[in-house]
Amino acid sequence: MAFVDPHRYSNPLRRFARTLVPGAEPEVAASLPLPESLSGEPWYSVGRAVASLGGARVDGWRLQEWPGQALRAEFSACWRDPGGRLWNVQPGDSVWLFLPDPLRSYEGVAVADRFRALSRDALLEDYLQVCTALGRAELSDAAEETLGQARERLEAWLELGGRGDQRCPCQSGKRYENCCSRRLRDSL
């Protein structure tokens, strides 16, 4: 399941948004996939929309949630039409909860995703640390592959209802927080 676009603007999302851009309120970016849009390329896609239809590019944070687990903010772009409405021009039919960030803009260097756990749990915190580490630009290919595999394993265990106070999946007999969690944190 992992992260999905929220169906409503909850209090945890509101508090998370305030930490990203103080004083700003998220807007709903309706879906308007354009034929020339490329998946995973928001700045190209929005640039094409601005060039052909007018309006402006708005850089900011796409807010997502993993229900009951965590929140994520992904730096992205939306298109604001000449009438002032905000649109997600990426392929697909996803409506975004988008937080415009007037102090930050995309200049060719990726901005790392931001995360917030909704509960205190060693397994969840390790998963979010691995996701944050994967957002670093200076990772080698080997480190990126290793972290990607760790993220997949942790995510799968979380989806199965795993917690840090349960037995470790490595079959050591210890709790996860006293076993693989320590090794993972030492390696990060």
Side-chain angles (χ1 to χ4, degrees):
M1 172 154 191
F3 291 96
V4 295
D5 291 301
H7 298 291
R8 61 185 179 84
Y9 188 41
S10 63
N11 282 333
L13 273 169
R14 183 173 284 115
R15 287 189 296 271
F16 185 46
R18 285 186 198 133
T19 66
L20 296 167
V21 183
E25 284 292 319
E27 300 178 44
V28 174
S31 179
L32 181 66
L34 300 176
E36 62 270 9
S37 295
L38 297 176
S39 182
E41 297 290 338
W43 291 276
Y44 171 81
S45 301
V46 171
R48 299 285 297 176
V50 170
S52 62
L53 302 169
R57 180 182 95 185
V58 179
D59 292 343
W61 302 94
R62 174 187 181 183
L63 300 176
Q64 293 182 305
E65 66 181 347
W66 184 347
Q69 297 285 343
L71 306 172
R72 174 172 72 182
E74 175 185 28
F75 197 70
S76 191
C78 283
W79 172 59
R80 190 173 302 280
D81 69 15
R85 289 208 46 195
L86 200 61
W87 299 94
N88 164 23
V89 295
Q90 294 287 293
D93 58 354
S94 180
V95 175
W96 290 1
L97 186 58
F98 191 78
L99 180 67
D101 190 344
L103 302 177
R104 187 173 308 211
S105 66
Y106 180 73
E107 302 295 335
V109 178
V111 177
D113 294 351
R114 307 284 170 84
F115 297 92
R116 163 93 28 98
L118 294 177
S119 63
R120 293 190 52 95
D121 179 62
L123 179 64
L124 178 61
E125 290 171 5
D126 287 351
Y127 172 76
L128 297 179
Q129 281 185 348
V130 168
C131 289
T132 301
L134 276 167
R136 294 187 195 128
E138 70 277 354
L139 285 178
S140 67
D141 290 341
E144 189 171 342
E145 182 178 341
T146 302
L147 284 171
Q149 291 171 352
R151 182 190 69 206
E152 288 174 10
R153 284 193 307 271
L154 293 170
E155 185 174 316
W157 198 33
L158 281 166
E159 287 179 350
L160 291 172
R163 296 190 42 85
D165 58 359
Q166 294 174 338
R167 288 181 181 255
C168 190
C170 75
Q171 306 294 321
S172 67
K174 298 179 184 178
R175 293 187 312 181
Y176 171 80
E177 61 194 8
N178 295 325
C179 185
C180 287
S181 178
R182 287 187 179 181
R183 283 185 273 165
L184 180 65
R185 290 179 186 200
D186 290 343
S187 68
L188 290 176

